[in-house]
Amino acid sequence: MTRKTVYVEHEMLLLLNTGSEFAFTQIFNHYRGRIYAVALKFLKSPAPAEEIVQDVFLKIWLKRYELHMVENFEAYLFTMARNFIFDRLKKMAYETAAQSELRGEETAINDTEYLVRQRQCLQLEQEAIQLLPPQQKLVYHFSKTEGLSHETIAQKMQLSRLTVKTHMAKALQSIRKYLNRHLHQFLMFAIGAFTVIFPLL
């Protein structure tokens, strides 16, 4: 690094591995704008977009001792951002549906593109659930749809609690992989577009 503190990613990751707050700040400043821009495009609101940035970099700090081993840190970072954005979109879609049901009316949202993205997330999730093995699908349904505890599910299905927990973990992993695989190209396209608008400093 020069006296002007030129950003050299490999050096910053090595410094971050030692717990350097300076290196963390440099990485944060280097990527914050692009992550925020992508999150804002999908979430349509500054507050949740800023929360995505905070979530991403909190996780980066918590994993600081492992990051020097990451071969492509930029791809790693934006994959993490994509996962946080998807989770937020899914949560917002559920909240919107719940609010509409409580009011007994459809929520008026003018942003058609936003609604399409929400529906896409939910549709992909349903597709992933349908691909689960029968027992995993049933455990997931009891847990996520009916809100049953693992102990209750175990009694209902005549399985051990550990087996239920294992089925649930595998179901969640399969769903996550399916969503990541199908949303990757869609979100990476948006990230590529914003790279032009927010180039590396």
Side-chain angles (χ1 to χ4, degrees):
M1 291 177 289
T2 71
R3 292 179 181 177
K4 293 183 179 180
T5 317
V6 174
Y7 181 87
V8 180
E9 190 152 276
H10 179 66
E11 292 184 14
M12 292 301 168
L13 292 176
L14 288 176
L15 279 175
L16 188 60
N17 185 51
T18 69
S20 169
E21 293 184 12
F22 166 78
F24 177 78
T25 300
Q26 294 299 308
I27 294 170
F28 176 85
N29 290 337
H30 192 67
Y31 284 109
R32 179 200 175 279
R34 290 166 59 196
I35 293 176
Y36 176 82
V38 173
L40 183 62
K41 175 176 174 60
F42 284 88
L43 301 177
K44 297 296 184 181
S45 177
E50 189 59 50
E51 289 176 7
I52 293 296
V53 174
Q54 294 172 8
D55 288 343
V56 167
F57 284 100
L58 173 60
K59 192 165 185 179
I60 289 297
W61 178 252
L62 294 175
K63 289 181 169 289
R64 61 191 179 279
Y65 301 118
E66 308 169 17
L67 298 176
H68 66 289
M69 298 182 291
V70 175
E71 293 184 4
N72 188 335
F73 178 71
E74 182 174 343
Y76 176 87
L77 188 68
F78 280 106
T79 296
M80 187 185 298
R82 177 196 67 199
N83 292 340
F84 277 120
I85 290 169
F86 171 77
D87 288 342
R88 181 58 62 90
L89 277 172
K90 186 171 69 171
K91 181 181 177 182
M92 291 168 70
Y94 281 132
E95 288 175 350
T96 298
Q99 289 169 5
S100 298
E101 185 175 349
L102 285 172
R103 289 198 304 266
E105 59 183 13
E106 293 186 1
T107 302
I109 300 179
N110 294 324
D111 191 342
T112 304
E113 182 185 0
Y114 176 69
L115 281 175
V116 168
R117 284 197 296 272
Q118 286 188 322
R119 292 194 197 101
Q120 182 185 35
C121 289
L122 293 176
Q123 181 180 348
L124 285 174
E125 183 184 30
Q126 289 304 312
E127 290 174 3
I129 292 170
Q130 292 306 312
L131 293 174
L132 294 174
Q135 282 199 316
Q136 288 183 28
K137 187 190 299 184
L138 194 54
V139 167
Y140 186 88
H141 169 77
F142 284 143
S143 177
K144 295 298 185 180
T145 304
E146 298 190 15
L148 302 182
S149 67
H150 287 180
E151 185 175 353
T152 302
I153 296 171
Q155 294 173 356
K156 201 177 185 70
M157 297 181 65
Q158 297 185 335
L159 300 171
S160 71
R161 191 173 182 277
L162 178 60
T163 300
V164 170
K165 186 176 180 180
T166 300
H167 280 320
M168 190 64 186
K170 288 182 177 180
L172 291 172
Q173 184 180 41
S174 296
I175 292 170
R176 168 67 70 186
K177 286 182 178 179
Y178 184 88
L179 296 175
N180 284 348
R181 187 165 62 249
H182 287 79
L183 285 175
H184 179 80
Q185 186 175 4
F186 177 59
L187 189 51
M188 287 300 107
F189 175 80
I191 290 172
F194 273 93
T195 299
V196 177
I197 301 174
F198 297 93
L200 293 176
L201 300 177

